[in-house]
Amino acid sequence: MGKYRTSALVLASALLAAPGLRAETVGPVTDAIGVVKIAKGQSILIGGYSSQSGGDTNQGIDELRGSSLAIADAGGEVLGFPVKLLSEDAQCTAEGGQTAATKLAGNRQVLAVLGPSCSSGARVGAPILWNLGIPSVAFGATAPALTAADRPADFQGFLRVIPNDLKSAEFAVGYALNTLHAKTAATIHDGSPYTEQLVRAFEAGFTAKGGKIAASEAIAPTDTDLRPVLTRIATSTPDIIFTPVFTSSIGFLLRQRGEVPALKDTVILGGEGVFSANVIEAAGADIVGFRIVGPSTDQFSDRFPAFVEGFKEEYGEAPIGGFSAYGYDAALLTLAAIKAVGQTDGDGNLYVGRKALHDAMLATKDLPGLTGSLSCGPTGDCGAATYAVWQFTGDDPSSFAPGTNPKRIYP
């Protein structure tokens, strides 16, 4: 089935019962695809869908916590109207994204949606939302196809504040070639949009700069015995294995790597999706030495340290990686766009045009975010690309603390 065929089929049932989008005038606002009226005293509704169950919950919980703090920092309101965040669990799957997006889209007062955490959810969820005129701003969906110039029309409402994986792949290639001086590499993906597209971008960049891909393997997210894959890779003894798969898969891979002696000295480089304490628990003692490409939080804005302290005060624990900051920036961009286009009438009601809102989001330039300056390109890439290589130093999940475990080793 084609890359986008599944999402087209999924949203068909949602659209059958939905009113057709049309130009309309409501109060003082005329908009090409519809107007949302928020009556005086009512709340502005913003949706949020993220990974809140399963093996990758830390990421999604932190993202929406960051979004909530952005709303709080805005005084909890925009244009004098309180803002309410409605959250749904998208897990980190296409099915979860479909369910969560459909629930949020069913509320016609929702102006925009923050999320999701994963590209698999965005591939299905973003079209469901945009076909009802609801733009989405992702804080964790990084697959290049989501913002490609040739993406289908029903993805045009999708934006993101987290960088495109083409940037992440470029950084990983530079680290492998210039710092590790790797000449050969193997890759492993799990078939998800995020892992497969990131791996393909890494392979293209690595070979373009003189490296050799010695093995290219795929696993299923449900696989528990990775020894056959590792054994095949070992026949070529690559200098590095690049594998941005998720928590449970990394756990099995690291635990079983010790049973393949030829890979004893091979560097394993993962992705930002496992930047959490969960992966320490999954891998146990074998986590020590494992490296990942993740956000370079010390290159975030000078407001980030104060944000971390505020996060700890509010939630009783420190945020993980940069996920909460991306959640903050997704909300920040959305609130700024609502403020830019919202209009009130003489009775104190608020009106927001759906196309006007999307256009304002896409027109974002030099917005000071937690992760850096946010400026949106024509296809919705808005994030500042800041990366580092982090290495895990201990096997106690309670010791997880970016800076010490894992510690930043590059640049």
Side-chain angles (χ1 to χ4, degrees), residues 10 41 45 79 171 212 344 375 385 401:
V10 163
L45 301 185
L79 299 172
F171 180 87
K212 178 183 177 182
T344 54
S375 292

Side-chain angles (χ1 to χ4, degrees), residues 161-194:
V161 294
I162 192 167
N164 189 314
D165 274 336
L166 293 177
K167 298 290 186 182
S168 176
E170 181 182 8
F171 180 87
V173 167
Y175 175 69
L177 292 172
N178 303 326
T179 299
L180 299 181
H181 304 293
K183 292 181 170 51
T184 60
T187 61
I188 304 173
H189 68 80
D190 66 6
S192 66
Y194 160 64

Side-chain angles (χ1 to χ4, degrees), residues 57 117 229 291 340 348 362:
T57 57
S117 305
V229 168
R291 309 176 198 191
L362 203 58

